[in-house]
Amino acid sequence: MNNAGNLVVLGSINADHILNLDAFPRPGETVTGSQYQVAFGGKGANQAVAAGRSGAKIAFIACTGDDDTGKQIRKQLESDNIDVASVNAVSGESTGVALIFVNAEGENVIGIHAGANAALTVERVTMQQQRIAQADALLMQLESPLDSVLAAAKFAQQNGTQVVLNPAPARELADELLALVDIITPNETEAEKLTGVKVENDDDAAKAAQILHGKGIDTVIITLGSRGVWASQQGKGERVPGFKVQAVDTIAAGDTFNGALMTALLEKKPLADALRFAHAAAAIAVTRKGAQPSVPWRKEIDDFLAQQG
Ligand code: RIB
């Protein structure tokens, strides 16, 4: 869509080492996996790819190592319609790594080595302030240094760029950062970390959303797994169900949702339509294995939605 707004994603890049198992090992236990795969991932890169493949005009601010993996990832990101001029190879660093177990239910546990992602410093972010200022929206996660996320949010807010935060992985955040955020997209665990409310049903989600509104955030979208999302704007919320599909692997489902949501919002789709578009993208992603290999292209999302009638 030609008159869509510009997106900047700031975040992490990882090489995901994924092992499929029947069940997660317990402490002290060794289990043999059934499939091993190395695929490109990282919450920032996954969200950038989801935005790029679903049709956004997008630039990515991130760091790789000065290694072969970094070079390959950069090439892949370019082929996913992403402007990679602000993806820097950091000398002496290795590209970030994620070690991921996936069980028979498609659930995952993840351990991260930040590597070059830790080099996305305030200084590097400051060098990109023009790019942030010129964008319509800035999408970030929490696999980058927190002071850099805060600095980018400040540049964005000072220049009228919408600040969108996917607060993953879960951690507590200062009110100073939350006050700069326009749209926040936590899952249940992340919402609990930010608000202290254990999110188990719609009432809990509404309560958590109100607390986040109270911190100055206009739009709160709490993702609830197979139950869809709780979407709350200026204090008025409702649950928006997703699509029922057979999940084989939920890696990057949330990332795909976030990237596709931004594409739709920057095309000026109303929130309800944007959520439906993002739900469709995530539904396709969970039927496929891996992070970026599972992220759908625009045509696949449009075809999926057309089939829903
Ligand atoms: O959200 C999924 C991502 O989390 C994986 O791709 C992994 O790299 C970790 O960052």
Side-chain angles (χ1 to χ4, degrees), residues 14 36 71 143 151 157 259 307:
N14 294 329
Y36 169 69
K71 280 187 202 126
E143 279 181 353
Q157 205 228 22
Q307 279 161 22

Side-chain angles (χ1 to χ4, degrees), residues 158-242:
Q158 284 156 11
N159 292 283
T161 302
Q162 190 174 44
V163 179
V164 185
L165 182 65
N166 172 233
R171 57 190 294 179
E172 286 168 17
L173 292 175
D175 285 352
E176 184 191 10
L177 172 59
L178 294 174
L180 298 168
V181 173
D182 298 294
I183 303 178
I184 196 162
T185 60
N187 65 16
E188 292 119 312
T189 315
E190 292 145 11
E192 180 180 352
K193 220 8 160 221
L194 295 176
T195 65
V197 177
K198 198 167 177 51
V199 179
E200 289 176 327
N201 54 42
D202 291 356
D203 287 346
D204 301 334
K207 238 182 260 164
Q210 284 308 333
I211 293 173
L212 292 167
H213 286 312
K215 309 244 179 219
I217 303 172
D218 181 79
T219 302
V220 179
I221 297 167
I222 303 178
T223 55
L224 306 168
S226 58
R227 297 196 323 111
V229 300
W230 182 263
S232 182
Q233 254 183 332
Q234 291 153 9
K236 266 191 75 186
E238 63 170 339
R239 189 158 61 81
V240 182

Side-chain angles (χ1 to χ4, degrees), residues 11-14 42 62-65 90 93-97 112-121 143-145:
S12 59
I13 295 178
N14 294 329
C63 293
T64 66
V90 182
E93 290 288 353
S94 57
T95 299
V97 171
I112 300 279
H113 168 61
N117 294 312
L120 188 55
T121 55
E143 279 181 353
S144 304

Side-chain angles (χ1 to χ4, degrees), residues 12 14 16 40-43 46 98 100 110 112 143 251-252 255 291:
S12 59
N14 294 329
D16 290 351
F40 298 144
K43 293 187 194 304
N46 297 343
I100 305 180
I110 304 180
I112 300 279
E143 279 181 353
I251 300 173
D255 297 332

Side-chain angles (χ1 to χ4, degrees), residues 28-181:
E29 190 184 14
T30 300
V31 295
T32 301
S34 52
Q35 275 168 11
Y36 169 69
Q37 183 196 0
V38 182
F40 298 144
K43 293 187 194 304
N46 297 343
Q47 293 182 20
V49 167
R53 290 188 191 166
S54 62
K57 286 190 265 175
I58 173 209
F60 188 28
I61 300 173
C63 293
T64 66
D66 62 347
D67 46 18
D68 275 352
T69 311
K71 280 187 202 126
Q72 288 165 24
I73 288 177
R74 192 189 170 87
K75 247 200 197 155
Q76 175 62 47
L77 293 170
E78 253 182 313
S79 70
D80 286 323
N81 293 338
I82 298 167
D83 175 347
V84 294
S86 303
V87 175
N88 294 128
V90 182
S91 126
E93 290 288 353
S94 57
T95 299
V97 171
L99 303 178
I100 305 180
F101 287 151
V102 180
N103 70 9
E105 281 74 49
E107 299 165 322
N108 60 67
V109 291
I110 304 180
I112 300 279
H113 168 61
N117 294 312
L120 188 55
T121 55
V122 172
E123 203 185 351
R124 280 185 199 276
V125 171
T126 305
M127 281 157 50
Q128 301 300 331
Q129 57 179 304
Q130 196 65 9
R131 194 179 270 285
I132 294 170
Q134 284 167 358
D136 294 284
L138 169 70
L139 171 63
M140 298 186 287
Q141 320 73 33
L142 300 176
E143 279 181 353
S144 304
L146 210 47
D147 49 357
S148 302
V149 171
L150 179 63
K154 282 183 181 163
F155 291 137
Q157 205 228 22
Q158 284 156 11
N159 292 283
T161 302
Q162 190 174 44
V163 179
V164 185
L165 182 65
N166 172 233
R171 57 190 294 179
E172 286 168 17
L173 292 175
D175 285 352
E176 184 191 10
L177 172 59
L178 294 174
L180 298 168
V181 173

